[in-house]
């Protein structure tokens, strides 16, 4: 597993994925801060009002797209020059290959989440909003945990689909499904809705004990289901490379 993870990092050494990790959080913060600045007359809840503005674009749209981009990127090299076929003949288990990619993408998303929180703190400080609310860090970490099920799903798509853009388009489509599921009070069963719940995008009320348990358990179940399905498919079906 360690060798597989190291190999994934080597593939990213000279890539420009870091630019994407920085640009999307920055854009979402700028849009949210602009909304907050021009609506300060009706937004009176300090840090929490700022959170509602910056997290709406980031949590609902930019973060799912960022996850899809990272997953497509870590599978891009394998889709070239029959590299999938070569990888399947190496003495490395399919599970190690998949989970190495999952771990690497999860670290990349954690970096993006940390950058977003740093920018959020900086923006709130510049707006002179007072004491920083520590609970927003918990929302960020919950969002990162919820992103793992989306990552497992998107990796499964990117492993099977050679096109770089198609899995990203599917992710964007799933975002709207997630909004519908959340509105229908069924968001706890859909990974993109879990991201909305985890990061308190549309509702900053504290989760009940039952909701909190369901959030952590269902997300873990989805991670395992998506991972196991992808690993099984990799084992049982031939890969098509260009």
């Amino acid at each position: 597993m360690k060798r597989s993870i190291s190999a994934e990092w080597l593939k990213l050494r000279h890539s420009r994925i870091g630019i994407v990790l920085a640009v999307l959080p920055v854009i979402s913060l700028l849009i949210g801060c602009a909304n907050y600045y021009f609506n300060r007359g009706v937004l009176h809840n300090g840090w929490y009002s700022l959170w509602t503005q910056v997290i709406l674009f980031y949590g609902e749209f930019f973060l799912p797209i960022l996850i899809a981009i990272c997953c497509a990127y870590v599978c891009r090299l394998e889709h070239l020059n029959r590299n999938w076929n070569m990888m399947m003949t190496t003495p490395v288990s399919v599970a190690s290959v998949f989970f190495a990619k999952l771990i690497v993408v999860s670290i990349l998303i954690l970096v993006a989440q940390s950058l977003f929180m740093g920018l959020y703190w900086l923006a709130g400080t510049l707006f002179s909003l007072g004491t920083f609310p520590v609970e927003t860090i918990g929302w960020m970490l919950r969002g990162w945990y919820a992103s793992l099920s989306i990552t497992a799903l998107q990796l499964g798509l990117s492993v099977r689909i050679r096109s770089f853009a198609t899995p990203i388009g599917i992710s964007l489509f799933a975002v709207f499904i997630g909004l519908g599921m959340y509105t229908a009070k069924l968001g706890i069963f859909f990974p993109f809705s879990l991201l909305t719940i985890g990061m308190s995008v549309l509702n900053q009320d504290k989760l009940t004990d039952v909701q909190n348990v369901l959030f952590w358990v269902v997300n873990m179940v989805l991670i395992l289901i998506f991972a196991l399905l992808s690993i099984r498919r990799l084992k049982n079906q031939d890969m098509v490379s260009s």
Side-chain angles (χ1 to χ4, degrees):
M1 176 65 77
K2 289 179 64 176
R3 292 176 63 184
S4 297
I5 295 174
S6 298
E8 294 299 328
W9 283 121
L10 282 174
K11 297 173 191 175
L12 297 176
R13 277 184 67 182
H14 301 293
S15 71
R16 296 177 181 175
I17 193 67
I19 297 175
V20 180
L21 290 174
V23 167
L24 291 184
V26 168
I27 291 175
S28 59
L29 252 294
L30 290 175
I31 294 173
C33 287
N35 284 344
Y36 176 80
Y37 180 80
F38 290 113
N39 293 281
R40 285 180 297 172
V42 295
L43 298 173
H44 305 294
N45 204 16
W47 286 98
Y48 300 101
S49 293
L50 178 61
W51 180 266
T52 63
Q53 301 306 300
V54 300
I55 201 61
L56 180 61
F57 290 95
Y58 178 71
E60 282 299 329
F61 298 100
F62 287 100
L63 183 54
I65 290 173
L66 181 59
I67 295 169
I69 290 174
C70 289
C71 290
Y73 201 92
V74 298
C75 294
R76 177 174 172 270
L77 186 61
E78 280 79 4
H79 286 303
L80 301 174
N81 302 320
R82 302 186 181 278
N83 286 331
W84 272 121
N85 296 334
M86 295 174 61
M87 181 173 290
M88 293 300 102
T89 62
T90 61
V92 179
S93 69
V94 171
S96 292
V97 173
F98 183 86
F99 281 112
K101 292 182 182 296
L102 180 65
I103 291 170
V104 167
V105 173
S106 69
I107 294 173
L108 293 176
I109 299 305
L110 183 59
V111 170
Q113 291 284 83
S114 300
L115 174 62
F116 177 83
M117 285 304 298
L119 293 171
Y120 170 67
W121 171 82
L122 178 61
T125 302
L126 293 175
F127 282 126
S128 301
L129 297 182
T131 305
F132 180 79
V134 179
E135 65 184 306
T136 57
I137 298 177
W139 296 345
M140 182 272 290
L141 292 173
R142 276 195 334 209
W144 174 76
Y145 176 65
S147 74
L148 297 181
S149 59
I150 300 177
T151 300
L153 172 60
Q154 288 294 143
L155 270 178
L157 293 173
S158 295
V159 164
R160 298 301 307 175
I161 302 173
R162 286 191 291 168
S163 169
F164 187 89
T166 300
I168 299 172
I170 293 173
S171 177
L172 186 58
F173 179 70
V175 165
F176 293 101
I177 296 177
L179 284 171
M181 294 283 284
Y182 180 87
T183 303
K185 308 297 183 182
L186 298 172
I188 199 70
F189 303 109
F190 193 67
F192 289 82
S193 305
L194 282 171
L195 186 61
T196 301
I197 295 170
M199 296 193 75
S200 298
V201 176
L202 302 177
N203 188 342
Q204 287 73 53
D205 293 340
K206 187 177 181 180
L207 297 179
T208 64
D209 291 339
V210 173
Q211 289 173 328
N212 200 42
V213 170
L214 278 174
F215 171 81
W216 290 93
V217 172
V218 171
N219 197 66
M220 179 56 66
V221 170
L222 290 175
I223 294 169
L224 293 175
I225 289 174
F226 294 143
L228 291 174
L229 287 175
S230 296
I231 291 169
R232 182 180 179 183
R233 195 167 186 181
L234 275 171
K235 286 180 177 179
N236 298 332
Q237 295 190 20
D238 293 333
M239 300 300 300
V240 178
S241 302
S242 61

